[in-house]
Amino acid sequence: MSILYLDCCSFFFGLAIGSFLNVIIYRVPRNLSIVHPPSACPICERRIRPWENIPIFSYCILLRGRCAGCGNRIPIRYPLVELTTGIVFTMVAHRFGYSFETLVFLAFSAVLIALSVIDLQTKLLPDVIILPALLASCVLSSATLFPAFQPFWSIKPMTAFLGMASGGIPLLILAWVYMRITGREGMGGGDIKLMFLVGALLGPKGVILTLFIGSLTGSVVGVLYLRLCRQARHTQIPFGPFLSLGAWIAMMWGNTIVSFYLKTSGLA
Ligand SMILES: [Zn+2]
């Protein structure tokens, strides 16, 4: 089957998963069940009809951004998360083709999108999302102990372990030092757990790239935000979205970036 077919399917699959991520993003931080009750408007509590739940289409054409019951604005976040997930899924499937990696990386991308939006809204990265993903990543690398599974996944248990150590431990130390010096919490525990996850899934190379891209984009956006919005210097800027972006880029093009860097710097 052609890659174009896979791209199209992944886009629509991504839209549907994006719609589900919206449920997770709204309910997980509020400690609500993600399966029950059916979706409703948070203001007037009117049930969302199935045809009002079609990704992008319902928001843009059917409802024009407003609840059909009370007419209140539906946050633009809903179609944005759906569209982003659709595009991200298409890119992952296009990059990794018909492979087991595609499935794993689609799931990882969905986790990163959910975590980023939740972190932007609540400044928290919930354990109920990170810890199961971390467990799944450890199971995945342990499965490579069986030779039959080795063609499917390249991160061996030792690489995963080194990844977790290189991802989590420096941040733990950094957080502790920052806490001792300033008496304030600079880096959340969620960021550290997220880096354990990145390490378990992508190994130490992925961790280094994630931290590099995450801190670079985080500091550029952070400085711009503080300047442009005249925020107080101690305003907390969530780091999760930047780490997620870094991890996603490392996942997609990590090997290409590392070999390009080694070549241009004359190290290889
Ligand atoms: Zn309503």
Side-chain angles (χ1 to χ4, degrees), residues 203-225:
K205 252 198 275 183
V207 162
I208 294 167
L209 211 53
T210 300
L211 288 177
F212 177 73
I213 299 169
S215 21
L216 191 73
T217 50
S219 38
V220 169
V221 173
V223 167
L224 285 178
Y225 177 75

Side-chain angles (χ1 to χ4, degrees), residues 140-164:
L140 208 57
S141 65
S142 307
T144 61
L145 292 173
F146 299 98
F149 190 72
Q150 282 171 7
F152 296 103
W153 192 243
S154 59
I155 302 292
K156 306 267 183 308
M158 194 57 191
T159 318
F161 176 77
L162 288 175
M164 283 193 278

Side-chain angles (χ1 to χ4, degrees), residues 41 44 67 70:
C41 167
C44 67
C67 167
C70 60

Side-chain angles (χ1 to χ4, degrees), residues 88-100:
V88 161
F89 272 34
T90 310
M91 290 174 76
V92 171
H94 191 85
R95 171 83 179 77
F96 297 99
Y98 291 92
S99 68
F100 179 72

